[in-house]
Amino acid sequence: MKMKVKHPIIVIEGPDGTGKTTLAKALGGHYIHCGYDKSLAGNMVDFHEHVFAAAVHLSQYSSVVIDRWRMSEVVYGSVYRSGPESPELTKKFYQMVDDSGGMFVNCMPADKDQYLDHFTGLLKTRPEMFESMNEVYDEYERAIKDLETVCVPVIYDLFNKTQSFEDKCYRIKSLSQAQLSSAQLRKS
């Protein structure tokens, strides 16, 4: 029997230094970080399937936050490798999350220049894998448009101060619960 999602699954994506991990940890629940590992080269599709299966299993007990997943493979694979593995499957992955009642949160600052300046500052305070996020930012913009053909993500902007961080977290939690409830109603 196929396991149903019981508590929300939230997939957080975005360029380095946009607040993904801070947001993920603030949302609580089970936390899964999916960074790229060279040992997974050639097996990213299986890896993403297993991560989502683990998230569905963990959702039986509490909400689950996946910090980076398929979109990051598409973006970073396009910019820093010879392309993502199996790009034709990307919408299938997005649909799988949407069908299960999961939700995407894209940490994507609206002001690219402000973000790039922020990232440059981060390079002085912590180690980063990459020195420039210019192309990565552009690829995320394209990837979000691709995702929007399947579902509407929540956009989280680290620099938008119209709401407090706590209010943003509350909004995301509320929306994720509503998304899950809506998916469950569609299936019944």
Side-chain angles (χ1 to χ4, degrees):
M1 184 166 97
K2 190 174 180 180
M3 199 177 291
K4 293 181 182 177
V5 172
K6 188 171 179 182
H7 295 279
I9 296 174
I10 302 170
V11 179
I12 300 180
E13 295 279 9
D16 293 7
T18 55
K20 292 178 305 303
T21 303
T22 301
L23 177 61
K25 290 182 177 181
L27 292 173
H30 293 286
Y31 174 74
I32 303 172
H33 186 271
C34 294
Y36 180 76
D37 184 324
K38 289 180 184 177
S39 69
L40 295 170
N43 296 306
M44 291 304 291
V45 169
D46 289 342
F47 176 64
H48 290 134
E49 288 174 342
H50 284 96
V51 165
F52 191 71
V56 170
H57 176 76
L58 290 170
S59 80
Q60 303 310 296
Y61 310 102
S62 72
S63 62
V64 180
V65 180
I66 302 173
D67 182 351
R68 293 200 184 274
W69 192 55
R70 182 66 190 173
M71 186 180 287
S72 289
E73 164 62 14
V74 170
V75 169
Y76 286 88
S78 297
V79 175
Y80 293 109
R81 298 189 306 276
S82 59
E85 291 181 22
S86 305
E88 71 281 0
L89 297 177
T90 299
K91 285 189 181 179
K92 174 191 153 220
F93 279 107
Y94 295 165
Q95 193 66 57
M96 186 169 51
V97 172
D98 191 55
D99 288 348
S100 74
M103 185 176 87
F104 288 91
V105 176
N106 287 91
C107 294
M108 194 65 185
D111 186 328
K112 180 179 178 180
D113 291 331
Q114 183 181 20
Y115 163 66
L116 294 174
D117 288 344
H118 170 75
F119 183 77
T120 301
L122 287 178
L123 290 174
K124 297 173 187 168
T125 63
R126 68 183 202 191
E128 291 288 343
M129 287 180 59
F130 308 105
E131 292 184 13
S132 173
M133 288 288 113
N134 192 48
E135 285 181 74
V136 169
Y137 183 96
D138 294 341
E139 277 300 314
Y140 268 106
E141 283 191 324
R142 282 189 277 283
I144 290 169
K145 287 182 179 138
D146 193 40
L147 172 63
E148 288 172 340
T149 66
V150 176
C151 60
V152 178
V154 172
I155 303 297
Y156 169 81
D157 186 342
L158 171 72
F159 305 112
N160 182 339
K161 302 298 183 195
T162 59
Q163 281 186 307
S164 70
F165 179 71
E166 292 78 15
D167 286 346
K168 291 175 185 178
C169 290
Y170 177 79
R171 178 176 171 260
I172 290 168
K173 286 180 183 181
S174 297
L175 289 171
S176 69
Q177 188 58 56
Q179 174 76 6
L180 177 59
S181 297
S182 176
Q184 290 169 337
L185 285 173
R186 286 192 308 264
K187 290 179 182 180
S188 61

